[in-house]
Amino acid sequence: MKTYDLIVIGGGASGLAAAITAYRKKKSVLLLEREQKLGAKILVTGNGKCNLSATDVCPEKYNHPDFVRDILEKENVGDFFRSLGIMTKKTDKRIYPYSESALTVVSKLRAALPETAICTREVKKITQKGNLFYVDEFACKKVALCTGSAATRGKASYDLVSSFGHTVTPLRPALVPLLCDTEYTKGLSGLRAKVRLDLLLEEKVVATEEGEILFKDGGVSGIAAMCLSSHIARYPNKYVLSVDFIGDNKEEAAPFLNGGKADGVLHKAIAQAVERYAEKKCLSLPAALSGFRLENVRCGPLSQAQVVCGGLKTEEFDGSLQSKLVPGLYVGGEALDIDGECGGYNLHWAFASGIRIGKSV
């Protein structure tokens, strides 16, 4: 039986980056992926446009900044994309493939490995005998778990390494639409607005985002809401969401709030919701426009989440992402308890962590 230098479990961003980087170092590599197609999550990133990264990636965008700092600073994801032949472009702070197609990214990643390095199968067990690991019946010197999480049609595989004594922190959906009480938002599903959102805990602002929200049955979505979901996932509590529809335009908006109506400023249905809120709360219309509160705010279900908050405990891994408990065992990407804000940060981490593993083996 052939003994591989490295077996990578998981054919997503982190697994592909790890396998490609190790293969380029002349290591014998086998990548095992349960799906017929590689990069399933990559294909749906950024609504298929593939938000690869961001221009302002930094440790503070993640839940464990000290753990990710060295990897983010030293592993150049942009160079990795260029080495694959992927031209990128910047849109605001986001980095996309120039083609704006995730298929470009997946096809270039796939082409960087030979057919013999890829096998479609779902791994059942990792065992260790002497100096070798056995991934089912395949033998290797080192093994990397890069299976991600159960978010976005994924499957959690923490049990493959928990038998070695590793700890999984509590798992909660993140980068997910928010649920809330809907007394004042009925009939708004499908409508969008540019707003400022303040997340309140006991009347104190604990997080703020600006951008677009999308009203949905049962709550709100959109980039601004999704960003706040990370904070809620990391620090569960009883939150209130304050929606400011007019921001710094209060003086400009004032002449258009005639007769207690806001339909000269907002979409008619949203305006009527704000008017009802103002009447019920005994507020002036300008006050309601800048402080439209949604109560009982919480994260939506895992089935709608892009990322999971939680995973394998980072304290049990070193700077090369090698286990401190089991030398030769590595974990990358979202399988670790690392989650970033919305906007390409999670995919950047997946690629960067995979590159670090590939360099380390």
Side-chain angles (χ1 to χ4, degrees):
M1 179 186 296
K2 179 175 181 178
T3 298
Y4 293 90
D5 291 321
L6 173 68
I7 290 181
V8 178
I9 306 170
S14 61
L16 283 163
I20 291 167
T21 304
Y23 178 74
R24 288 173 171 177
K25 292 175 56 187
K26 310 300 182 185
K27 301 292 185 180
S28 57
V29 175
L30 180 64
L31 186 149
L32 303 175
E33 166 57 44
R34 69 186 180 97
E35 301 287 349
Q36 289 291 328
K37 293 183 179 180
L38 299 176
K41 286 190 178 182
I42 298 174
L43 290 172
V44 298
T45 303
N47 293 320
K49 291 183 178 181
C50 199
N51 184 191
L52 289 168
S53 182
T55 59
D56 61 344
V57 170
C58 63
E60 287 66 36
K61 296 291 185 180
Y62 300 86
N63 59 329
H64 292 297
D66 290 338
F67 184 81
V68 302
R69 189 176 307 277
D70 185 68
I71 294 174
L72 295 180
E73 291 176 352
K74 294 181 180 177
E75 306 307 343
N76 194 316
V77 171
D79 282 351
F80 180 69
F81 297 149
R82 282 186 285 274
S83 75
L84 295 168
I86 300 172
M87 183 178 178
T88 60
K89 67 178 182 180
K90 301 172 185 176
T91 303
D92 297 324
K93 293 181 180 180
R94 297 170 183 244
I95 297 176
Y96 295 90
Y98 194 83
S99 66
E100 292 194 349
S101 172
L103 286 171
T104 299
V105 178
V106 173
S107 64
K108 287 294 188 180
L109 288 163
R110 174 65 184 79
L113 290 171
E115 289 284 348
T116 54
I118 300 169
C119 180
T120 302
R121 69 173 298 140
E122 183 169 358
V123 173
K124 302 297 184 183
K125 192 174 184 181
I126 303 173
T127 57
Q128 187 179 29
K129 296 179 183 178
N131 295 325
L132 294 180
F133 291 94
Y134 289 86
V135 182
D136 292 341
E137 73 271 22
F138 299 106
C140 59
K141 298 175 184 176
K142 296 181 179 180
V143 60
L145 183 75
C146 299
T147 49
S149 71
T152 319
R153 300 181 301 174
K155 180 181 178 181
S157 299
Y158 310 113
D159 58 316
L160 291 176
V161 297
S162 60
S163 60
F164 291 104
H166 277 291
T167 308
V168 180
T169 63
L171 303 172
R172 294 181 290 272
L175 296 193
V176 64
L178 298 177
L179 301 177
C180 63
D181 292 346
T182 59
E183 179 180 357
Y184 301 105
T185 61
K186 291 177 181 177
L188 301 185
S189 182
L191 298 181
R192 299 175 183 270
K194 294 289 183 67
V195 300
R196 171 192 168 105
L197 298 179
D198 287 330
L199 190 65
L200 307 178
L201 179 62
E202 297 177 351
E203 295 300 313
K204 180 181 178 182
V205 177
V206 293
T208 298
E209 290 290 340
E210 292 186 16
E212 186 176 78
I213 60 168
L214 168 65
F215 288 98
K216 301 183 69 175
D217 291 335
V220 291
S221 186
I223 292 173
M226 299 274 275
C227 286
L228 289 179
S229 72
S230 289
H231 183 96
I232 297 172
R234 294 171 190 171
Y235 313 107
N237 218 310
K238 189 174 181 180
Y239 291 102
V240 172
L241 190 65
S242 179
V243 184
D244 185 348
F245 289 102
I246 51 178
D248 296 331
N249 300 309
K250 293 178 176 61
E251 292 185 7
E252 292 179 40
F256 300 95
L257 303 177
N258 298 317
K261 299 291 184 181
D263 56 355
V265 177
L266 301 176
H267 183 285
K268 184 176 181 179
I270 299 176
Q272 290 173 342
V274 175
E275 291 158 13
R276 291 194 300 271
Y277 179 82
E279 181 178 4
K280 186 72 177 286
K281 298 293 184 178
C282 298
L283 297 173
S284 67
L285 190 53
L289 282 167
S290 59
F292 182 78
R293 293 193 174 191
L294 304 177
E295 306 283 340
N296 192 23
V297 176
R298 58 209 185 274
C299 287
L302 180 60
S303 60
Q304 297 178 20
Q306 294 181 12
V307 172
V308 164
C309 175
L312 290 162
K313 198 171 184 179
T314 56
E315 290 87 345
E316 296 171 357
F317 295 86
D318 65 19
S320 68
L321 301 182
Q322 181 175 213
S323 168
K324 295 178 180 178
L325 309 180
V326 186
L329 171 65
Y330 296 77
V331 175
E334 199 189 339
L336 287 165
D337 178 16
I338 298 293
D339 65 275
E341 296 179 9
C342 186
Y345 305 103
N346 288 285
L347 200 50
H348 183 104
W349 163 251
F351 283 115
S353 63
I355 294 167
R356 174 58 61 92
I357 292 172
K359 286 182 175 181
S360 301
V361 297

